[in-house]
Amino acid sequence: MPNYKDIEYTLKRSRRKTSSIYVERDGRISVLVPQQLSEKEIEAMIEQKRYQIYSHLAQWEDANTKRVYREFVNGEGFYYLGRNYKLEIVTEQEVPLKLKNGCFRLRKKNLPKAKEAFVEFYKEKGRKRILERVEHFRKLLDVNPNEIKIMELQNRWGSWTPKGNVNFHWKTMMAPLTIIDYIIAHELTHLIHPNHSEAFWNELDKLMPDYLQRKAWLKLNGAGMDL
């Protein structure tokens, strides 16, 4: 892994014309640059943004004091659409996991693969809920995303591709509806403005005037949205 002074980072080169630096949800620093950018130019960019990098790392450390490590035992709490539901282990049930009577019910024989059962639950719910909201926001933005997927995205809430495909992390379904809307609107806005330029944030502001509050909530509470 390359490093510049005391900053260790992951370098990714692509055909993009612009460069960007961001802190992943696991605290790693990623640097995205055009193919032709030299090592000296990359280091100059990192030097220019040192204060910004330290600031983002400090925010990440603050946010991760809220990280929760959950166990698949009776009474443990799991989020869905911003609400916390307790887990109940049951002996008999027609499906591995379902939400019923205000609690998550997990079939006992599925305990060894409990995480997989939760992931599939969030994916299934996301395919319906997220697609509905994508349809809502794409009309407002006048964009036409190609393919929408609910998947594992490691340290990102969402991503997009130059082909117009948009992906959302299954963990998105743990967040409140207002935050899910922010994540969706954020990614769809990238189909107009591919980077986090002033034009991007202005476009998002027109669509969602309170996006800053939603963004702040996600930074503060996002680490708790995990299994």
Side-chain angles (χ1 to χ4, degrees):
M1 185 178 292
N3 67 285
Y4 172 69
K5 295 184 178 179
D6 59 339
I7 297 175
E8 192 173 71
Y9 61 92
T10 299
L11 179 65
K12 299 176 184 177
R13 294 182 181 272
S14 70
R15 295 180 181 178
R16 59 187 291 162
K17 295 180 180 180
T18 58
S19 301
S20 61
I21 301 175
Y22 57 90
V23 178
E24 301 276 13
R25 281 174 56 209
D26 63 356
R28 290 182 298 110
I29 299 168
S30 288
V31 178
L32 278 69
V33 299
Q35 292 280 8
Q36 70 276 10
L37 210 66
S38 69
E39 183 178 344
K40 186 173 290 187
E41 289 172 315
I42 293 170
E43 290 182 348
M45 179 185 67
I46 294 173
E47 179 63 39
Q48 184 180 10
K49 296 187 176 182
R50 279 172 71 84
Y51 176 79
Q52 181 183 340
I53 293 169
Y54 291 141
S55 177
H56 285 313
L57 282 172
Q59 290 174 10
W60 179 85
E61 289 175 0
D62 287 343
N64 276 269
T65 60
K66 292 182 173 287
R67 185 172 294 279
V68 176
Y69 296 93
R70 294 180 169 85
E71 297 181 82
F72 299 102
V73 296
N74 281 314
E76 181 68 277
F78 293 85
Y79 283 108
Y80 175 58
L81 299 182
R83 290 187 60 188
N84 197 28
Y85 296 92
K86 290 188 176 181
L87 179 64
E88 180 183 351
I89 311 298
V90 297
T91 305
E92 297 295 332
Q93 188 168 268
E94 68 277 12
V95 293
L97 178 72
K98 66 179 177 181
L99 187 58
K100 184 178 180 181
N101 298 330
C103 69
F104 275 112
R105 294 166 61 91
L106 176 67
R107 192 165 58 190
K108 188 174 182 179
K109 73 176 185 179
N110 294 101
L111 265 173
K113 293 189 175 181
K115 181 175 181 178
E116 289 88 339
F118 269 92
V119 169
E120 186 52 42
F121 174 88
Y122 291 125
K123 283 183 177 180
E124 181 185 344
K125 297 299 182 182
R127 289 183 192 107
K128 181 177 186 298
R129 179 82 64 168
I130 289 176
L131 285 176
E132 288 175 352
R133 300 308 288 164
V134 165
E135 182 64 17
H136 170 75
F137 285 111
R138 77 153 194 88
K139 291 177 180 177
L140 296 176
L141 287 164
D142 193 24
V143 296
N144 291 294
N146 181 24
E147 188 176 6
I148 307 296
K149 289 184 180 180
I150 315 300
M151 59 192 294
E152 172 64 53
L153 287 176
Q154 296 184 343
N155 305 307
R156 290 186 174 189
W157 291 104
S159 67
W160 64 278
T161 73
K163 292 182 179 180
N165 298 329
V166 184
N167 308 310
F168 297 98
H169 202 304
W170 53 262
K171 293 178 187 177
T172 301
M173 293 306 295
M174 293 182 170
L177 288 171
T178 55
I179 306 306
I180 294 175
D181 276 355
Y182 164 71
I183 294 169
I184 293 170
H186 184 116
E187 296 307 325
L188 291 181
T189 301
H190 276 309
L191 298 182
I192 303 172
H193 303 287
N195 51 34
H196 291 129
S197 61
E198 185 177 353
F200 169 87
W201 295 113
N202 287 340
E203 190 74 40
L204 186 56
D205 183 60
K206 287 188 292 183
L207 179 68
M208 189 174 284
D210 66 342
Y211 83 87
L212 281 173
Q213 291 94 313
R214 304 189 198 205
K215 180 183 178 185
W217 188 97
L218 190 59
K219 278 191 174 182
L220 184 62
N221 298 283
M225 306 285 123
D226 209 342
L227 291 176

